[in-house]
Amino acid sequence: MSEEFTGPPWAVDYTQDAEKYRIGLPEEPREACREALFELLTARHPYRGEKVEPARSTVPRGPHVAYFDSYRGWIRFVFLPRVAEPQIVVEEIFWQ
């Protein structure tokens, strides 16, 4: 029996700081952040979204940034495309 790469929705995990920041956002930006994260979780490949770009152009498979709330906020995340339990790890959330 061969293991196959599973598709979306992906599992998600937050660093402690990202989770605290997300919980502390006002309601409207928190909802916009939730919607952006939902798009990442359901995308066939999270690094290929419309509002997604590499955090550093020199590391194309490293951390990426997804923008939300008309580019007023962003989510820095890493996608771990493991065969068992592919996962998105949210490292940082920022909104202004």
Side-chain angles (χ1 to χ4, degrees), residues 54-71:
R56 296 175 62 187
S57 62
T58 57
V59 187
R61 292 183 184 217
H64 276 57
V65 175
Y67 297 97
F68 66 92
D69 196 22
S70 301
Y71 291 87

Side-chain angles (χ1 to χ4, degrees), residues 5-77:
F5 185 70
T6 61
W10 311 112
V12 66
D13 195 13
Y14 296 87
T15 63
Q16 288 181 346
D17 289 340
E19 179 68 6
K20 284 181 192 175
Y21 193 88
R22 183 183 69 82
I23 291 169
L25 284 172
E27 184 58 37
E28 287 182 30
R30 189 173 344 128
E31 182 61 31
C33 179
R34 195 175 306 134
E35 289 172 10
L37 190 56
F38 180 77
E39 287 181 28
L40 294 175
L41 295 176
T42 57
R44 184 71 189 136
H45 197 293
Y47 283 174
R48 296 190 186 126
E50 181 180 320
K51 294 181 179 179
V52 176
E53 63 184 39
R56 296 175 62 187
S57 62
T58 57
V59 187
R61 292 183 184 217
H64 276 57
V65 175
Y67 297 97
F68 66 92
D69 196 22
S70 301
Y71 291 87
R72 291 180 63 197
W74 47 263
I75 302 166
R76 189 178 73 203
F77 69 98

